[in-house]
Amino acid sequence: MELHLTETQALVRNTARTFARERVAPGARERDRTGTFPAELLREMAELGLLGVNVPAAYGGAEAGATAYALAMMEIAEACASTAVAMAVTNMCAELISKFGTEAQKQRYVTRLTSGAAVAGAFALSEPQAGSDASALETRAMRKDGGWVLDGAKQWITSGDRAGVIVVWARTGAGGAGGLSAFIVEGGAPGLLVGKHEDKMGLRASSTVPLQFEDCRLKGDALLGGEGEGFKLAMMALDGGRIGIASQACGVTRAALAATVRYTRERKAFGKPVADFQAVRFMLATIQTELAAAELLTFRAANLKESGRPFTREASMAKLFGSELANRAADKAVQLHGGYGYIDEFPVERYLRDARVQTIYEGTSEIQRLVIARELLRAAG
Ligand code: COS
């Protein structure tokens, strides 16, 4: 769907669109097959301002706002959802540090993320025993010799094997949400051990690893935000992150729909193009209508965010609806391709595999529903 865009938003969208079509889409199938991380593409994205779309220009960002970010994510995800997730987490870390970091942290880490020098950012919140229940995490950070020592295990860390900047959550106080703090850890830090790559169903060109912290020594200035503020930082970052995943879901849905329109117009059955059958048209019409709704939910959340208003509920609604739609749309795309949908000569099986995680990461659909209901009931007084 077409929104009325500002000049800046149109520029970011067009830049991302051209880059996605010319540079990202062509190798997507091969990267998926071989599990090749898009390092070179991320470097080029940094040059285009796509690793800090909503980050102040003072730290190398494009300072183009949350809507421009959503527009750019949709374009990149339409071409390759794996590349989009690495972009999303890098933007999320850059935004988080640019918002809550000290001036020195911003100068040191945000510029590394936006310039591509860090390759990517990573967000290390989840643990083997704490995913949805994020406040139950057990990694500990103890004060020692004016600095901190991290010990614990993290799980499902996107780009965790190559990120130059990793935001890590650890317990610095009592149990529960109030005892958590966030830290900035540099990739390759002594005591940071990178585990084996997860052999995932989808997003196979994005790397996902467990991380282990063993007596990992950090300087005193590694703390991001105040001590005990970590949980709120994580929730705020995830609110923004969910707009990113909603955008990624819209991108995958667009790709699934476009591939299906192409295929059903060409493929003939019973003497006419498959697209001439009403049952097929109804499926296409439903996906297109729901895609427009998902995009509008995403733009609404982004618009609230950039105008400084609360957007927690709207981000969860966009993520919930968009991620479930991407799964329905990719599933229908496979169905309408028949047997060809089930082989990797056509891209729709990849879209289905890539969509599957979207209802799980950055908060499952069930967590989104909890957040939406909590905000609804709170607003009702
Ligand atoms: N923004 C700012 N603050 C927030 C917030 C938000 N979106 N959501 C919660 N908080 C604050 C609360 O206001 C509360 O603060 P006070 O103690 O000062 O009142 C504090 O955080 C604890 O909130 P709450 O009691 O709601 O926390 P819960 O432990 O019940 O957790 C859910 C709430 C389930 C929503 C949260 O744990 C969550 O989002 N889990 C999913 C995590 C996730 O997405 N993981 C994927 C990781 S990335 S792949």
Side-chain angles (χ1 to χ4, degrees), residues 126 132 135 231-232 235 238-239 242 312 362-363 371 374:
S126 296
S132 291
S135 65
F231 189 75
K232 285 187 190 173
M235 291 300 112
L238 283 170
D239 285 347
R242 288 166 187 165
T312 298
E362 298 209 16
V371 171
R374 181 190 71 193

Side-chain angles (χ1 to χ4, degrees), residues 88-128:
V89 182
T90 306
N91 272 275
M92 199 173 167
C93 292
E95 261 194 60
L96 182 67
I97 302 172
S98 73
K99 212 161 179 188
F100 296 100
T102 61
E103 188 53 35
Q105 287 173 333
K106 294 179 199 185
Q107 293 291 352
R108 187 172 172 85
Y109 298 114
V110 180
T111 51
R112 279 194 204 175
L113 289 163
T114 55
S115 69
V119 183
F123 189 90
L125 177 69
S126 296
E127 300 191 350

